[in-house]
């Protein structure tokens, strides 16, 4: 019996949707202040992507040639896996010149603005790797630290496909640990169902009111798709008699909150601790649940939503 099943195994494995990612973290610059946060952020995002089954091309402290090689390898992997889910994350210094935006490799020494033309990495080249590779649902997230004497935020001018979501966060002074964008991405990538439109909306809600960074580019996908998992049917409407099973958050007991976390985990939205504390992971899970309901993704449950969640009706 086992021998008869073996020939079927490669076909079953190949049927799994491919997932390809490119992660670049530049922190040890030769002529600019160091960015240890970018190295920590890229490692954290790469680990979260690998945990979700992505084949990750990860590079740190790249030169211009090293970046070109990494982008080329990523593009080749996409070309070999048509319609694969694609994810790109980069963290490091960035600048603009003549309406074009560039990432700066660690070897960059920009003494005059035009130097970026020969030493910088066109952000458009990252996007082109996804577009020309024929990727399926795609997401690009850039942590852009403005280079000294450069613009405070970046603008990305490119014709983007309908299946691609793009977010660029500009932060002059990154923290000592992972950046807010990287931390939010890691939290959102923990669940078994990650959709490009929902992911972008969640990031915008988490980071949009920050006093330490600016979302210089937010491009929602016209045709959202799932990077991980597949569409789930919305839960059925709850009977009116069940609307008061769980109160709104302000009146919830510790036991109520644990029931909510347990229900979110059962549906695949949450994989954190069931501790009755609604931290960032719980809030992200609630927003995903609200998205499936077609409700506002506030991250806070009404009494009706909480009751519907825990009863499974």
């Amino acid at each position: 019996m086992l021998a008869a099943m073996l020939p079927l195994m490669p076909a079953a494995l190949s049927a799994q949707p491919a997932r390809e990612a490119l992660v670049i973290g530049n922190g040890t610059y030769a002529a600019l202040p160091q960015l240890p946060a970018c190295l920590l952020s890229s490692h954290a995002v790469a680990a979260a992507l690998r945990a979700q089954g992505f084949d990750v091309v990860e590079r740190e402290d790249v030169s211009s040639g090293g970046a070109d090689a990494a982008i080329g390898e990523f593009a080749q992997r996409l070309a070999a896996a048509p319609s694969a889910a694609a994810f790109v994350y980069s963290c490091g210094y960035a600048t603009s010149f003549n309406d074009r935006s560039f990432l700066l490799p660690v070897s960059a020494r920009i003494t005059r603005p035009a130097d970026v033309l020969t030493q910088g990495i066109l952000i458009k080249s990252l996007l082109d790797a996804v577009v020309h590779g024929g990727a399926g649902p795609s997401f690009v997230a850039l942590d852009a630290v403005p280079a000294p004497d450069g613009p405070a935020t970046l603008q990305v001018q490119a014709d983007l496909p309908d299946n691609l979501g793009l977010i660029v966060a500009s932060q002059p002074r990154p923290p000592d640990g992972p950046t807010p964008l990287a931390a939010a991405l890691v939290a959102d990538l923990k669940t078994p169902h990650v959709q490009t439109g929902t992911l972008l909306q969640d990031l915008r809600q988490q980071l949009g009111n920050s006093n330490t960074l600016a979302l210089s580019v937010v491009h929602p996908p016209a045709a959202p798709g799932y990077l991980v998992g597949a569409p789930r049917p919305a839960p059925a409407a709850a009977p009116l008699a069940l609307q008061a099973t769980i109160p709104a958050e302000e009146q919830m007991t510790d036991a109520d909150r644990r029931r909510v976390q347990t229900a979110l985990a059962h549906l695949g939205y949450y994989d954190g601790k069931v501790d009755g504390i609604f931290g960032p992971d719980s809030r992200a899970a609630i927003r995903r649940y609200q998205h499936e309901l077609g409700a506002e993704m506030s991250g806070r449950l009404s009494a009706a939503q909480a009751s519907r969640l825990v009863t499974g009706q």
Side-chain angles (χ1 to χ4, degrees), residues 1-15:
M1 177 66 72
L2 178 60
M5 293 176 61
L6 286 176
L8 300 178
M9 293 177 63
L13 290 174
S14 63

Side-chain angles (χ1 to χ4, degrees), residues 119-184:
Q119 299 183 44
I121 305 158
L122 268 173
I123 289 178
K124 187 175 181 296
S125 66
L126 295 175
L127 302 174
D128 285 346
V130 175
V131 175
H132 297 158
S138 307
F139 201 88
V140 178
L142 305 179
D143 261 319
V145 180
D149 301 324
T153 59
L154 297 180
Q155 297 299 319
V156 178
Q157 298 180 350
D159 293 328
L160 302 178
D162 291 345
N163 61 356
L164 188 144
L166 169 65
I167 186 168
V168 181
S170 299
Q171 187 172 22
R173 297 181 180 178
D176 293 333
T179 66
L181 175 58

Side-chain angles (χ1 to χ4, degrees), residues 267-281:
L267 291 174
Y269 298 118
Y270 180 66
D271 66 352
K273 294 181 179 179
V274 178
D275 54 9
I277 300 173
F278 285 177
D281 289 353

Side-chain angles (χ1 to χ4, degrees), residues 8-26:
L8 300 178
M9 293 177 63
L13 290 174
S14 63
Q16 297 298 316
R19 299 169 188 160
E20 301 291 344
L22 171 64
V23 176
I24 296 177
N26 287 332

